[in-house]
Amino acid sequence: MTGLSDEDWTAILLSLRVASVATLASLPVGLVLAYILARCRFPGRTLLDGLIHLPLVMPPVVTGYLLLLSFGRKGPIGAFLDQCCGLVFSFRWTGAALAAAVMGLPLMVRAIRLTLESLDRRLEQAAGTLGARPLFVFATVTLPLALPGILAGSILSFAKALGEFGATITFVSNIPGETRTIPAAIYTFTQVPGGDANALRLTAVSIVISLLALVASEVLARRLNRQVASFS
């Protein structure tokens, strides 16, 4: 109905699947890392912060190559997971999700960290004075207040995962129906005669999805500001 071919729809649905899995899988990790960076002071904190944000400034191809060395079938982590759990990343859609998660994690951590740093600590301290344990305070006070920021970070990570190309194609190649996401499909169409129309349609789809994600992120950010202001 939109002029998209079956190959286009396959790439779109695979991209949404990869981005969704990448975002959901990286959310617990991102939340823990953001909390550590926002609330903990320890030697090596700056180094940890730099390592988390390294994928943002490092060439994506380098990130993909490092993933291939670590999570490939012959890599130390990849071989262990294959033998232990039967989980294979190289040249599979799961590897595309892993690459997308790594590339989107810095944006998620940054959004959640800024949210946690902006919260009024007196609310948590008040709950603590009433005898609540730290984990209970986190679950009932910190987490609900940080929810808009968590959602905003998740959406940014999803948008980044949706457009991931360099690390993905280096790690899992460009296999139709398995690892060919929207960016890889656009790249493929631009390399073959007569593929411009398909590339243009997928580009339009990618722009629409990305804009929707950014608008949703902006709306959530405004809600966060109003929420923080109401408690100040």
Side-chain angles (χ1 to χ4, degrees):
M1 62 180 177
T2 58
L4 296 171
S5 65
D6 292 341
E7 190 175 359
D8 295 338
W9 279 113
T10 300
I12 293 170
L13 294 177
L14 179 62
S15 291
L16 293 174
R17 181 186 188 186
V18 166
S20 299
V21 171
T23 303
L24 292 175
S26 60
L27 182 55
V29 179
L31 185 59
V32 171
L33 291 175
Y35 187 86
I36 291 174
L37 292 177
R39 298 295 173 82
C40 301
R41 297 292 181 270
F42 55 91
R45 177 174 172 274
T46 302
L47 177 61
L48 176 62
D49 190 23
L51 290 174
I52 292 172
H53 290 86
L54 197 57
L56 288 181
V57 296
M58 195 165 59
V61 174
V62 176
T63 302
Y65 184 61
L66 292 175
L67 288 174
L68 184 61
L69 293 177
S70 303
F71 290 88
R73 284 186 178 275
K74 295 182 180 179
I77 303 176
F80 171 77
L81 292 176
D82 187 11
Q83 296 173 2
C84 177
C85 316
L87 186 59
V88 177
F89 288 104
S90 56
F91 308 109
R92 300 282 182 85
W93 74 269
T94 50
L98 175 61
V102 171
M103 297 301 294
L105 184 64
L107 295 175
M108 178 185 290
V109 171
R110 184 172 180 78
I112 299 175
R113 175 187 175 183
L114 291 176
T115 301
L116 291 173
E117 290 177 342
S118 67
L119 296 182
D120 190 347
R121 298 291 302 275
R122 291 174 297 181
L123 297 172
E124 296 169 313
Q125 293 169 357
T129 58
L130 296 176
R133 295 183 180 276
L135 185 60
F136 184 78
V137 173
F138 175 79
T140 58
V141 179
T142 308
L143 205 56
L145 290 177
L147 186 58
I150 294 173
L151 293 176
S154 299
I155 292 174
L156 287 176
S157 177
F158 177 84
K160 176 65 176 175
L162 201 63
E164 167 49 32
F165 174 69
T168 301
I169 200 168
T170 305
F171 183 29
V172 295
S173 189
N174 182 9
I175 305 172
E178 183 67 33
T179 64
R180 182 173 290 176
T181 55
I182 291 178
I186 293 174
Y187 173 77
T188 302
F189 286 134
T190 60
Q191 302 303 305
V192 298
D196 292 344
N198 293 73
L200 190 58
R201 282 195 292 268
L202 285 180
T203 299
V205 170
S206 181
I207 291 173
V208 169
I209 296 176
S210 299
L211 279 176
L212 289 175
L214 290 175
V215 169
S217 175
E218 180 64 22
V219 171
L220 289 172
R222 291 181 180 179
R223 288 185 58 187
L224 169 65
N225 291 333
R226 287 198 297 267
Q227 182 177 351
V228 171
S230 67
F231 284 101
S232 62

